[in-house]
Amino acid sequence: MAAAAASLQLASFRPLAAVARSSTSTFAAASVAFSTVPSRRVALFNLASVIHQVQLFGIKPWKHRKTVNDVVASSAGNIAQAGTTVNQEDATEWVKKDNRRLLHVVYRVGDLDKTIKFYTECLGMKLLRKRDIPEERYTNAFLGYGPEDSHFVVELTYNYGVDKYDIGTGFGHFGIAVEDVAKTVDLIKAKGGKVTREPGPVKGGKSVIAFIEDPDGYKFELLERGPTPEPLCQIMLRVGDLDQSIEFYQKAFGMDLLRKRDNPEYKYTVAMMGYGPEDKNAVLELTYNYGVKEYGKGNAYAQIAVGTDDVYKTAEVVKLYGGKVTREPGPLPGINTKITACTDPDGWKTVFVDNIDFAKELE
């Protein structure tokens, strides 16, 4: 596949240092350029940025218009604030209308064949596709419970010669819904899998769960549920300020707060965020542990990919609500797939992918 040479999951397989250099050099060049611009030109640039955002989201012109000289005479801070205020209202409306869904989650493994065998034989996933990019020295494998155009899937990345990664303390677990947790655990044990929490009701509740680990040490929570169209149902990440994270994912990502549960006995609070109900969609489980503000992210877990109708508007919204855009929107070199990448307040990365381009990638 021609598109494979420049995968939309660009940060999942490239060396971390190379990705950092690329982002840093682009940012540095922009900083140098603007540091030499006279103040009047800075004000005009800010005005142009506001006008661009107004056009981007189709905002109606202000009833009270100022001349360019009037605007230039005002402070750049006031201009930016006025533009942000106008755009946030319109951006929030646009985000809610955008056709977004979780596409896949990307992470690195040390033995691709061993991991594929574990996921297919023990977890019941299917190997959807596999691609090897020898010039970039990596291999990807996509696995899940249904086709990529309608299901949330995992993208495993193997970098040549790297057999171990640091998962860190921030990543929590993946969630998989199964109809019988006990039977699933027995199967995993029979295949030599590691069970870290035997089947039983969750603390303080009735839902039956169990915890297992894959060959690389990634934790999976097995949740006993009825039939569901999306068995790969959760990604749990730890955050340092839950209310801040909830607001960010609601406003910048357009996710709904599906539920929030505080457990003072065990000193943690969780919030389920997503684009639809938990029994039919994959969701993001944000966990706040009392008093813990920062976590180590390691180098194993990479990112989530989310579909969007417009990566350019998406990047603007992320910036409006305080997110950091780490890859400006645009097509990837060599192919027409448009993406943008960003990080949330805790540094967790997300890549937004153009929906039409993603569909073409799968053809």
Side-chain angles (χ1 to χ4, degrees):
M1 183 186 299
S7 166
L8 56 89
Q9 290 77 34
L10 75 167
S12 64
F13 51 77
R14 294 183 182 175
L16 299 178
V19 175
R21 283 197 301 271
S22 175
S23 300
T24 303
S25 60
T26 303
F27 234 170
S31 299
V32 171
F34 288 118
S35 65
T36 59
V37 178
S39 59
R40 180 181 177 87
R41 193 174 300 171
V42 170
L44 285 170
F45 170 79
N46 286 328
L47 173 62
S49 178
V50 171
I51 293 173
H52 165 70
Q53 292 176 351
V54 169
Q55 293 172 339
L56 190 63
F57 292 103
I59 302 171
K60 295 180 180 179
W62 295 284
K63 292 182 180 179
H64 173 67
R65 298 175 182 271
K66 290 187 177 183
T67 65
V68 171
N69 288 334
D70 290 333
V71 176
V72 171
S74 66
S75 69
N78 288 337
I79 296 172
Q81 185 176 2
T84 300
T85 301
V86 172
N87 280 295
Q88 283 181 345
E89 181 179 354
D90 193 78
T92 299
E93 182 180 348
W94 176 79
V95 167
K96 287 297 182 182
K97 295 179 180 178
D98 190 22
N99 292 308
R100 296 187 175 185
R101 74 174 180 92
L102 299 181
L103 302 178
H104 48 253
V105 59
V106 186
Y107 51 105
R108 304 172 179 93
V109 298
D111 186 328
L112 189 59
D113 291 336
K114 185 176 182 180
T115 304
I116 291 173
K117 180 179 176 67
F118 180 83
Y119 285 12
T120 54
E121 293 185 359
C122 296
L123 300 180
M125 293 186 186
K126 296 179 180 179
L127 176 61
L128 303 173
R129 59 187 170 112
K130 186 178 179 182
R131 64 186 175 201
D132 183 46
I133 313 297
E135 61 271 22
E136 295 281 354
R137 297 181 58 78
Y138 74 90
T139 306
N140 288 136
F142 296 80
L143 297 98
Y145 295 99
E148 292 178 66
D149 60 359
S150 58
H151 287 72
F152 184 57
V153 306
V154 299
E155 178 190 346
L156 305 177
T157 298
Y158 169 70
N159 291 293
Y160 290 9
V162 184
D163 60 6
K164 191 173 183 180
Y165 293 95
D166 174 20
I167 294 178
T169 59
F171 171 79
H173 60 259
F174 302 109
I176 294 182
V178 298
E179 294 187 40
D180 192 320
V181 168
K183 281 187 177 180
T184 304
V185 166
D186 287 342
L187 172 62
I188 291 170
K189 286 180 177 179
K191 296 289 185 178
K194 183 178 180 180
V195 177
T196 59
R197 201 265 200 193
E198 293 291 336
V202 65
K203 293 177 180 178
K206 297 181 180 179
S207 300
V208 177
I209 66 168
F211 274 92
I212 65 167
E213 286 186 8
D214 76 357
D216 289 271
Y218 290 102
K219 291 181 174 59
F220 283 78
E221 180 181 16
L222 305 179
L223 303 100
E224 192 159 280
R225 293 180 180 175
T228 173
E230 196 67 279
L232 182 60
C233 58
Q234 289 180 6
I235 302 171
M236 193 275 261
L237 301 174
R238 298 182 176 94
V239 298
D241 186 328
L242 187 59
D243 290 336
Q244 181 186 37
S245 295
I246 290 172
E247 182 178 19
F248 177 80
Y249 280 98
Q250 284 178 318
K251 293 182 176 179
F253 281 32
M255 289 185 177
D256 295 320
L257 174 60
L258 303 173
R259 62 185 173 97
K260 184 178 179 182
R261 177 170 56 87
D262 184 41
N263 195 326
E265 181 181 356
Y266 297 98
K267 297 183 178 181
Y268 73 89
T269 309
V270 298
M272 299 295 186
M273 312 289 300
Y275 295 111
E278 291 180 64
D279 60 339
K280 297 179 181 178
N281 299 270
V283 301
L284 187 61
E285 178 182 350
L286 304 177
T287 298
Y288 168 69
N289 292 297
Y290 291 9
V292 184
K293 297 296 182 182
E294 294 183 4
Y295 295 93
K297 292 184 174 56
N299 61 358
Y301 174 84
Q303 66 210 24
I304 297 172
V306 179
T308 176
D309 290 335
D310 193 320
V311 296
Y312 299 94
K313 289 183 179 180
T314 293
E316 292 293 335
V317 174
V318 168
K319 291 175 183 177
L320 283 176
Y321 291 112
K324 181 180 179 182
V325 174
T326 57
R327 204 273 189 193
E328 291 294 335
L332 287 167
I335 58 175
N336 293 321
T337 300
K338 295 180 288 295
I339 72 162
T340 188
C342 66
T343 54
D344 74 357
D346 288 272
W348 294 115
K349 185 176 179 181
T350 299
V351 172
F352 285 90
V353 185
D354 180 274
N355 285 325
I356 294 177
D357 292 346
F358 181 67
K360 292 178 180 178
E361 285 276 328
L362 299 179
E363 290 178 355

